[in-house]
Amino acid sequence: MRQTHLKRIGLIGLLALVGIGLWQGRSLDPQQLMQWIDGLGPLAWLAFIVLYAVATVAFLPGSLLTLAGGALFGPVLGTFVNLTGATLGAVLAFLAARYLGADWVRARAGARLGAILDGVEAEGWRFVAFVRLTPLFPFNLLNYALGLTRISLLPYLLATWICMLPGAIAYTWLGYVGREAAAGGEDLIRKGLLAMGLLVAVAFLPRLVKRWKEGQGPHWSIDDLHRRREEGETMTLLDVRDAKDFNGKLGHIPGSLNIPLPELAARLEELRADGHALAVVCNTDKRSAKAVQQLQRAGLDNAILVIGGVQAWKGRGWPLEQR
């Protein structure tokens, strides 16, 4: 009861903060902000990180802050403070959503929303990396939305920090060049062209991510595998872990065929004669990804990577076998 009361108080406080942020964000003056931060002296960079984190939680426009960070601290320190502040804010929003709303949303999610959440969770850090590299997704809202899933905090943090780096560099540099132009700095043409190049590179990231996703080849989520098995679809579930892992404490998915990855080349004809879809798993999906590539190079186009592997199956609470 007390925990529910605390959650309500926290939610009211968060909504008030977001409301203030949305209201004040319209009248935010970057010049006044920069003057105030600049007047803090040696602690300016630390204050800016805290400000950026709070602004992220409160839905203040992050692009203006990133440009201001570049103008205030230059391309190197500016990238650091911008990226650190944005990541810290993203983690705070993620944790707030998880603590205040994840259970409530899960309990009331319909079949469609539940399937979406399950699909996002199956992709895990890959989904976080994709949306961070693709600037089409609203950053502030996305932080809260991801908190409603069961994606682990550490993969979320690392994927956020790493995959926001290209955009942080580009916009920080743009803010730096803007201040140099206002001050009449030298070599502005070269710096301006570099800024444009960085922005173009960020704009092309979604296409590169799409090609990377396509390069993974056909794949199923663990939920796809479970659903297809429940529907009675004919397939061969191939587990490419070694025998020790296959029969070990974690166990294996019932009905799996165990062919360790080092033995795969010697048993290609056996799999070729099978003719069914080859759903390939391992503990997660590292060895299985290598196995799928090997099978496809050998002409077995029916090989399908199962994202998340046996660990994801276990995470859903579905049965496993040990021998």
Side-chain angles (χ1 to χ4, degrees):
M1 189 71 178
R2 183 179 178 182
Q3 188 177 19
T4 302
H5 186 61
L6 289 174
K7 284 186 177 182
R8 287 176 181 172
I9 294 174
L11 182 59
I12 292 171
L14 179 62
L15 291 174
L17 179 62
V18 171
I20 294 171
L22 292 173
W23 177 46
Q24 292 293 329
R26 299 177 180 179
S27 57
L28 184 65
D29 186 345
Q31 195 63 35
Q32 289 183 356
L33 175 66
M34 289 169 58
Q35 289 176 357
W36 178 73
I37 292 290
D38 211 15
L40 295 177
L43 295 177
W45 66 274
L46 183 59
F48 191 85
I49 289 175
V50 174
L51 174 65
Y52 204 133
V54 174
T56 298
V57 175
F59 274 75
L60 285 169
S63 56
L64 289 179
L65 289 170
T66 306
L67 292 171
L72 283 168
F73 305 109
V76 178
L77 181 58
T79 298
F80 170 77
V81 297
N82 282 331
L83 188 58
T84 303
T87 303
L88 179 59
V91 168
L92 290 174
F94 176 89
L95 292 175
R98 175 154 295 180
Y99 177 73
L100 298 175
D103 292 340
W104 185 89
V105 170
R106 274 284 174 185
R108 290 159 180 80
R112 187 171 184 179
L113 178 57
I116 292 173
L117 291 173
D118 288 342
V120 170
E121 291 162 7
E123 290 289 336
W125 69 267
R126 298 175 186 80
F127 183 84
V128 180
F130 173 71
V131 294
R132 294 307 189 198
L133 288 169
T134 307
L136 302 175
F137 298 93
F139 172 66
N140 292 333
L141 181 60
L142 191 64
N143 299 326
Y144 288 99
L146 290 170
L148 300 177
T149 71
R150 297 192 185 99
I151 294 174
S152 299
L153 176 60
L154 184 58
Y156 168 82
L157 188 155
L158 293 176
T160 294
W161 193 92
I162 293 170
C163 295
M164 287 199 309
L165 180 58
I169 293 172
Y171 281 95
T172 301
W173 184 268
L174 191 61
Y176 164 68
V177 171
R179 182 159 186 172
E180 287 283 294
E186 298 179 357
D187 204 13
L188 287 178
I189 293 178
R190 183 179 64 84
K191 292 177 180 177
L193 289 174
L194 181 56
M196 289 178 61
L198 288 170
L199 289 174
V200 169
V202 170
F204 271 93
L205 276 176
R207 182 176 297 182
L208 294 175
V209 171
K210 182 180 179 181
R211 288 184 178 179
W212 173 73
K213 293 287 286 183
E214 291 173 349
Q216 285 187 311
H219 60 275
W220 293 345
S221 70
I222 202 68
D223 301 284
D224 292 329
L225 174 65
H226 184 264
R227 175 180 55 80
R228 289 169 184 269
R229 282 164 59 94
E230 289 292 303
E231 293 173 353
E233 182 174 329
T234 302
M235 69 178 72
T236 298
L237 181 56
L238 176 62
D239 191 320
V240 296
R241 295 176 297 165
D242 58 40
K244 181 180 178 181
D245 290 336
F246 184 79
N247 299 313
K249 184 177 180 180
L250 178 60
H252 56 268
I253 301 171
S256 301
L257 169 66
N258 181 220
I259 302 180
L261 182 59
E263 301 175 16
L264 198 58
R267 299 180 64 176
L268 288 175
E269 293 308 315
E270 174 186 340
L271 295 172
R272 201 187 309 275
D274 183 280
H276 303 310
L278 285 171
V280 187
V281 298
C282 65
N283 195 36
T284 53
D285 47 44
K286 293 181 180 179
R287 281 177 285 184
S288 53
K290 294 178 182 178
V292 168
Q293 291 176 357
Q294 184 177 341
L295 291 168
Q296 290 178 344
R297 283 196 300 267
L300 288 163
D301 297 329
N302 56 339
I304 299 163
L305 174 65
V306 179
I307 302 295
V310 180
Q311 287 285 3
W313 184 278
K314 179 184 178 182
R316 295 290 190 275
W318 296 326
L320 291 163
E321 292 181 345
Q322 290 93 16
R323 288 181 186 171

